[in-house]
Amino acid sequence: MSATIWNSRFNCAVLLALAPLGAACAPKPVPVAPIAAPAPDPLATPPVIGAAKPFVPPVPLVATLSNSASLWVIPQPALPLVSVVVHVPGGSALDAVGHEGSAWLSDRLMTQGSGKLDATAFAETVERLGIQLDVSTDQDGSWLTASMKKDQLDAALGLISNMVLQPHWGTGDYKRERELAIGELTQGQQDPPTAAAQAAPRFWWGAKHRWGHPSEGTVKGLAAVTVKDVQAYHAKVWTASGASITVAGDITLSEAQTALEGTLGKPWVAKPAGVKVEAAQPRAVGAGQLADAPFRTVLIDSPDAAQTMFYLVFPGLPEGDAALPALRAGTIALGGSFTSRLNALLREKKGYTYGAKARAQPLPGRGVVVVSSRIRTDVTGEAMTDLLGELKSIQQGINVAELKKAQGAFLQDQVEAMESVYGVAATFANYQASGFGPGQLAADLAAMDAVTLDQVKAQMGAYDIRGALVVLVGDKAKIEDGLRKAGISTIEVVEAE
Amino acid sequence: MPFLPALPRPLAGLVPVLALLGLVGTASAAEIPFERYELANGLQVVLVQDHSLPQVVVDTWYRVGSGNEQVGRSGFAHLFEHLMFMGTHRLPGAGIDNLMEANGGWNNAWTMEDATNYYDVGPPALLPTLLWIEADRMQQLGQAMTKDKLDLQRDVVKNERRQSYEDEPYAIGELEVPLLMYPKGHPYDHTVIGTHEDLTAASVEDVKQFFATWYVPNNASLVVAGDFDPAQVKRLIEQYFGTIEKKPLPLLPVPAVVDRAQKTRVTLTDDVDYPQINLYFHTPSSFQPGDAEVQLLGSLLADGESSRLYKRLVIGGLAQDVSAYQMPTMHGSLFVISATAADGVNVAAMETAIAAELLDLEKNPPSGPEMERVHNQFDYGFLDTLQSLQNRAVQLNQYWAYTGSPDYLAKDLARFQDATPEAIRDAAARWLRPELAGVVVIEPRPEDPPADPKASPAGGAK
């Protein structure tokens, strides 16, 4: 032991000092009890991190039903669960001006009775079987998702088939669901993140653009939606032409084909007039910019708010763009994790916020990048200055550590999505609905791995603040001075809708 | 009596837990095999292998929460949770987050009345680092605490309070619940988020004392789940955690059972358009007799469009939404029924309808189809939840903390499976009587008259 050796040497040295000249330091047994030295600190240094284990994502098995609907199946037999996702192109982009919310209400009504079941009987049947059922609408499509124990799959598909083929559109159900949808929208306008997200499309795309309103519609639009509107949407969109079905869980391709053919196959006739999703035209940098402002800022006034909601929109990239992985990496470095630049500055250094986020959202034809945070009211101006500084700084690119972190975060997100059968089904349903092949997840992972610093710099350098839209929800009277000091002197006060 | 139940000695070896699924008629089965042991310093360890994906989870559960806070220090346990990420002498600054994220991992934590839970997620190669990080901060977080760190996280937590309660529609009501439902001096007589004043009052000495008292291995449980080599992990756990000193835990009195609200009603105003009513009831503690029946009552009453309250309130045109659920805690739980009024409906109409539905349970216990529904919904939800590695880790830690053993999954399922319609009816009759409720009403804030009647409206969030 090192402690024992040290004590022996010390004692010999003392003897040498005290001995007459010429005397030898003869080793003698010294009755010194060994003193235990501190044990080495087992936590002194962090362990070495070993080589990464490869992640091989599943690849869906592909088939086509007799009605031309595309089918992807991802067998996951670990638990007796199955998730089914049905997508049809359409969405709120088809809403007529003044009738915003038609698609949303139409899809919502699919759960309010079909076949021989009225709304109550339908809900009782679905819930008694323990089926998790949802129909939702985004700007370019409608989605039906159902998750269940495997032994309820056939029953679930029978119900889904009736929803698609024989919805009821009962007048009472229509009125009630429309009122509920209006109530939800109204409540959302009181929630700052929801209010900002719902207002942003109006100012980003323009109120008359087909993407210029929330997928949920507007209060005014929903009030004008008629039964005829919702029926027309369903008849146009819910056709097997262009439909894609994704199934994950304790099921084989053959089982899925058999179960689906009799429910969403042969009985579901394909109509030639399926909806084709249009790509958005690129939005010019500076579009919507006011002559005397660095970028467009709109404010929803919320007197006495303790925080100001920031919601910044920048031009992004379309789905499938080769540069998307680089944009994603840069955006993760900006605001995609606890240690991202925005969180490090606004949360951890300045204490202005509970958190900040940035995400790249690809869309057909053109995507967006959204940066959001909720900032203490009294430091709104200072935070805006810091935020703009960080956006400028990241135009110079990111460093190696940030790139590695972004790549790791992207990989981990995909791994976690594969934990549940619903996560697997939803992931691949998105790929299928966007027109990608079954190997796209693996391709995306490889592409992210291959991103270089130069590629990120090229993408982040294209962030141009002059093309941004800033939506704020906060107390106008308390924040406008600070914003002016941050260089934002032109603020349009707008209604939430 | 001790505040915390004594921990039983651990079982040795592999304990396969059989979770019988298909509670109504189906006999499929799933297992969550785990291995459990205890270090000499009292740290509970549970290992759950799952090699289906290249990822691991480290979930560390400390049996301390807002119920252990001193008077005048509300919010402290949660503030402390934030401080656990502020670095140690070995790994200073934002080192914890930096090291994890640099290698594909991430983390987070949460605090409740009885516990604080920290979880780390990442690729298998990161597991030794995750264990090292958890051991490092368990051993010496307090030594590295400074006022600068405390001040910074104090600000972050106050921002969290603003975001989650002050600017969140209807959430101010939640801040009133502790005083409405618990007598002063009860561990749950204040909110987990705390008040601005108490957060401001927290000192570095408080942090060090809290750490020294509660963040000790014999008050913690560590679940490692995922794709790992158990021999290597056991060696690392012993190496990293084994030298951390055990300390005596405070013996705290068990609070008296509270069975009714302290005040009957609180009415608040908020920047909302529709009134909301929230009824709170005292109900059995987590995992205690009656808890499962009350949880199933939540499903019976408001889970789905065929639930009783949904049909009466929402289909009946009185409300836009309704929810009902148990909030389980160690020293008595709360059950809440919440409904937001439909346009033009007042609170009294909703309250009358809710009371009628609760009283009706006595005459009409759950029917056969209703029992089938609540069981199947529970069954699917349970399976669905356990697909997540992180959820499995938290579930086993929760079993340990509340029942004394992670080996509780089969019993947990059985208590729901065995709940009868009569037991559910009796639970409602005993705990959900309208006269026992504490009621929080949120009314829309009256609009201020405009200062200048001629001025045009400036826009608003409504």
Side-chain angles (χ1 to χ4, degrees), chain B residues 62-300:
Chain B
Y62 291 93
R63 295 202 301 189
V64 59
S66 64
N68 302 97
E69 289 161 351
Q70 303 292 314
V71 174
R73 292 292 183 274
S74 66
F76 189 82
H78 172 244
L79 173 60
F80 185 89
E81 173 224 295
H82 279 240
L83 293 167
M84 280 284 275
F85 296 90
M86 294 302 284
T88 64
H89 290 314
R90 296 187 190 98
L91 191 57
I96 291 174
D97 289 329
N98 284 332
L99 190 52
M100 281 194 206
E101 291 188 6
N103 295 283
W106 62 278
N107 63 68
N108 212 330
W110 49 268
T111 306
M112 60 175 288
E113 290 85 346
D114 306 319
T116 311
N117 186 245
Y118 300 83
Y119 54 92
D120 314 317
V121 184
L126 191 59
L127 180 54
T129 304
L130 301 179
L131 293 170
W132 180 83
I133 286 170
E134 292 301 341
D136 172 51
R137 62 181 175 178
M138 183 187 286
Q139 191 204 41
Q140 59 155 229
L141 188 281
Q143 297 167 26
M145 193 46 53
T146 65
K147 187 166 182 304
D148 283 348
K149 292 180 183 178
L150 175 59
D151 286 343
L152 185 57
Q153 288 308 314
R154 201 191 323 258
D155 283 346
V156 173
V157 169
K158 287 181 177 179
N159 284 325
E160 183 177 354
R161 191 184 201 277
R162 293 180 184 103
Q163 179 168 319
S164 303
Y165 296 93
E166 297 167 24
D167 273 359
E168 178 75 16
Y170 301 107
I172 53 167
E174 294 172 43
L175 300 175
E176 298 295 322
V177 174
L179 282 176
L180 178 73
M181 299 304 292
Y182 294 101
K184 214 160 186 169
H186 191 282
Y188 304 159
D189 72 356
H190 55 279
T191 58
V192 175
I193 194 72
T195 64
H196 282 281
E197 294 74 22
D198 286 358
L199 291 167
T200 300
S203 69
V204 171
E205 188 49 42
D206 290 333
V207 176
K208 292 187 173 182
Q209 189 62 41
F210 195 81
F211 177 75
T213 304
W214 299 108
Y215 279 72
V216 292
N218 45 313
N219 196 38
S221 173
L222 178 77
V223 176
V224 179
D227 185 13
F228 60 84
D229 169 10
Q232 182 208 17
V233 164
K234 283 185 201 173
R235 193 168 60 248
L236 288 171
I237 289 173
E238 181 61 42
Q239 180 186 342
Y240 293 154
F241 291 89
T243 59
I244 303 174
E245 280 184 33
K246 178 179 189 171
K247 291 180 188 169
L249 289 165
L251 296 178
L252 299 174
V254 175
V257 173
V258 184
D259 62 2
R260 63 184 57 226
Q262 307 303 296
K263 288 188 285 182
T264 54
R265 182 174 295 261
V266 173
T267 300
L268 306 166
T269 60
D270 196 5
D271 189 16
V272 295
D273 277 345
Y274 308 103
Q276 186 181 80
I277 184 168
N278 302 274
L279 294 93
Y280 293 87
F281 301 86
H282 285 287
T283 48
S285 300
S286 191
F287 296 101
Q288 295 304 305
D291 172 43
E293 285 77 6
V294 173
Q295 290 195 41
L296 292 174
L297 267 169
S299 178
L300 176 79

Side-chain angles (χ1 to χ4, degrees), chain A residues 46-73:
Chain A
V48 174
I49 296 171
K53 279 192 173 183
F55 168 52
V56 181
V59 178
L61 306 169
V62 175
T64 304
L65 298 183
S66 62
N67 59 1
S68 82
S70 170
L71 171 64
W72 287 11
V73 176

Side-chain angles (χ1 to χ4, degrees), chain A residues 83-172:
Chain A
S83 282
V84 178
V85 181
V86 184
H87 173 265
V88 288
S92 58
L94 301 184
D95 288 346
V97 173
H99 291 234
E100 295 85 359
S102 301
W104 181 266
L105 187 57
S106 178
D107 286 341
R108 184 178 177 126
L109 281 164
M110 287 174 72
T111 63
Q112 299 302 312
S114 54
K116 294 177 180 172
L117 303 175
D118 64 16
T120 301
F122 182 85
E124 283 171 353
T125 304
V126 168
E127 291 165 14
R128 185 169 46 77
L129 297 173
I131 298 166
Q132 308 300 304
L133 181 66
D134 184 52
V135 188
S136 62
T137 314
D138 66 22
Q139 56 218 22
D140 288 319
S142 291
W143 300 83
L144 189 156
T145 61
S147 297
M148 75 256 10
K149 288 192 296 178
K150 186 184 179 181
D151 56 5
Q152 307 296 358
L153 175 64
D154 288 339
L157 289 176
L159 292 164
I160 292 170
S161 178
N162 284 342
M163 291 165 70
V164 171
L165 300 173
Q166 305 172 49
H168 279 187
W169 317 122
T171 306

Side-chain angles (χ1 to χ4, degrees), chain A residues 41 43 53 112 124 127-128 147 149 151 186 189-190 306-307 337 339 348 351 353 416 419 421 493, chain B residues 26 55 90 101 106 132 152-153 159 163 167 227 273 305-306 311 320 376 379-380 387 389 458 461:
Chain A
D41 178 3
L43 295 167
K53 279 192 173 183
Q112 299 302 312
E124 283 171 353
E127 291 165 14
R128 185 169 46 77
S147 297
K149 288 192 296 178
D151 56 5
T186 308
Q189 289 170 9
Q190 295 150 351
Q307 293 179 317
S337 75
T339 63
E348 295 297 327
T353 179
E416 288 177 40
E419 280 191 315
V421 296
V493 178
Chain B
T26 312
Q55 68 165 339
R90 296 187 190 98
E101 291 188 6
W106 62 278
W132 180 83
L152 185 57
Q153 288 308 314
N159 284 325
Q163 179 168 319
D167 273 359
D227 185 13
D273 277 345
E305 296 183 12
S306 65
K311 284 196 280 194
Q320 300 183 40
N376 270 339
D379 193 11
Y380 175 82
Q387 292 182 86
L389 194 62

Side-chain angles (χ1 to χ4, degrees), chain A residues 2-81:
Chain A
S2 59
T4 306
I5 292 167
W6 168 250
N7 279 321
S8 295
R9 286 175 63 201
F10 173 82
N11 286 312
C12 183
V14 172
L15 287 172
L16 280 171
L18 297 176
L21 284 177
C25 179
K28 294 178 184 175
V30 180
V32 175
I35 298 172
D41 178 3
L43 295 167
T45 52
V48 174
I49 296 171
K53 279 192 173 183
F55 168 52
V56 181
V59 178
L61 306 169
V62 175
T64 304
L65 298 183
S66 62
N67 59 1
S68 82
S70 170
L71 171 64
W72 287 11
V73 176
I74 309 99
Q76 304 268 302
L79 284 171
L81 299 174

